[in-house]
Amino acid sequence: MTFWDHIDELRKTLVHPLLAFVVVTVVAFIFKEPIFDTILAPNSPDFMTYRIMPGYAGGAGAEGLYLNLISTELTAQLRMHMKVSFYVGLILTLPFLFYKLFRYASPALYENERRYSARIIFFFFIAFFFGILVSYFVIFPFSLRFFAGYYVSSQVSNMITLNSYIGTLLTLSILMGLCFELPVMAWLLSRLGLLKASFLKKYRRHAIVAILIAAAIITPTTDIFTLMLVSVPIILLYELSIVIVRLTERRKKNQA
């Protein structure tokens, strides 16, 4: 195939994901209520996380947990509706896009490269979506509880905008999704010979301190439980990365 033949084939490959994205975005726009009910669920005292751990997420602060979110611009709610629909469409159709791109590129790969590429794509999305779930059920509810009840003075009341609420939720979700990519990236770098288990073990203490600092920034609550709730999974991911890299090195040595 010529260069332009490849470009034409790529164009055909992108058509279906693009159509799927448009359809899912339109459907998400139509089904506004269930989507926003899900997004705004952490704002309710009846949220699952608060029922499971009332001593930490509820208690005295549960009564004031529900926030009357406000919109300060005339078109803000419509723009947020469109923005959320866009992200729902993007997140749900992104795996399909990667699958189509993988099929497009697979004829140029060796059999072992196709196998490894498929694994990377699969575990990439599994880890990313799991990180989003951790953010939604753990990190964001605790962050919301803290900021909703934080006052510099009794003369100043919190009036949280819808844009601030959803923006914070989106930011934390992306950050946690990326954090959960640590084992996948460690495996990939190890396969490429760019990362050694000895390096990860040497800087383990430095990594733990950095994780604790990052967890304190992500969830600026005052209790140690919340800090551990966020930092421990990331530390375990770091330890899992060491195990994965060590096994990868051992397998490469046996194959050699």
Side-chain angles (χ1 to χ4, degrees):
M1 296 177 64
T2 66
F3 172 78
W4 294 110
D5 290 333
H6 283 291
I7 295 297
D8 185 62
E9 191 66 25
L10 178 60
R11 180 186 60 81
K12 294 178 181 179
T13 300
L14 296 177
V15 167
H16 289 160
L18 180 60
L19 289 176
F21 166 73
V22 173
V23 171
V24 174
T25 301
V26 171
V27 172
F29 188 86
I30 295 174
F31 290 93
K32 173 182 64 176
E33 291 188 6
I35 290 177
F36 275 89
D37 285 345
T38 302
I39 292 175
L40 299 176
N43 188 36
S44 171
D46 296 327
F47 188 56
M48 180 188 301
T49 303
Y50 307 140
R51 295 200 305 268
I52 294 175
M53 295 177 287
Y56 292 97
E63 298 177 357
L65 177 65
Y66 186 83
L67 301 175
N68 289 318
L69 301 177
I70 63 171
S71 177
T72 59
E73 299 177 18
L74 183 62
T75 61
Q77 294 200 48
L78 175 60
R79 286 190 284 108
M80 183 55 64
H81 185 191
M82 297 173 63
K83 180 179 179 180
V84 168
S85 301
F86 172 84
Y87 278 108
V88 170
L90 181 64
I91 291 173
L92 294 183
T93 58
L94 203 56
F96 181 52
L97 172 62
F98 273 80
Y99 168 74
K100 296 293 288 186
L101 290 175
F102 174 73
R103 289 197 59 183
Y104 168 77
S106 59
L109 302 176
Y110 292 108
E111 179 63 29
N112 62 329
E113 292 175 335
R114 284 197 293 268
R115 184 169 62 252
Y116 290 137
S117 298
R119 291 178 184 176
I120 290 174
I121 294 174
F122 175 77
F123 286 111
F124 174 86
F125 284 107
I126 292 296
F128 189 78
F129 285 125
F130 192 76
I132 290 178
L133 291 178
V134 171
S135 173
Y136 178 77
F137 285 105
V138 180
I139 297 178
F140 180 71
F142 285 102
S143 299
L144 177 66
R145 177 178 69 94
F146 173 79
F147 287 116
Y150 186 86
Y151 297 92
V152 295
S153 172
S154 59
Q155 303 179 43
V156 182
S157 60
N158 285 328
M159 300 182 66
I160 312 299
T161 65
L162 178 64
N163 184 66
S164 175
Y165 176 96
I166 296 181
T168 303
L169 174 60
L170 182 62
T171 301
L172 291 177
S173 298
I174 294 176
L175 286 175
M176 285 307 298
L178 294 176
C179 287
F180 273 72
E181 297 299 335
L182 183 60
V184 180
M185 294 304 300
W187 177 81
L188 177 60
L189 293 175
S190 177
R191 285 294 307 175
L192 297 175
L194 300 176
L195 184 64
K196 302 292 183 181
S198 58
F199 177 84
L200 294 176
K201 289 188 290 185
K202 179 180 179 181
Y203 291 97
R204 176 188 278 123
R205 294 181 180 178
H206 302 77
I208 291 176
V209 172
I211 290 171
L212 290 174
I213 294 174
I217 295 174
I218 294 175
T219 55
T221 55
T222 55
D223 59 275
I224 191 65
F225 175 79
T226 306
L227 180 64
M228 292 297 101
L229 200 63
V230 175
S231 59
V232 168
I234 303 178
I235 293 174
L236 293 178
L237 288 172
Y238 187 88
E239 295 296 330
L240 177 61
S241 300
I242 296 177
V243 175
I244 291 174
V245 172
R246 185 186 299 120
L247 292 176
T248 303
E249 291 175 348
R250 187 178 304 170
R251 185 173 182 180
K252 290 174 63 178
K253 185 181 298 184
N254 293 336
Q255 289 177 348

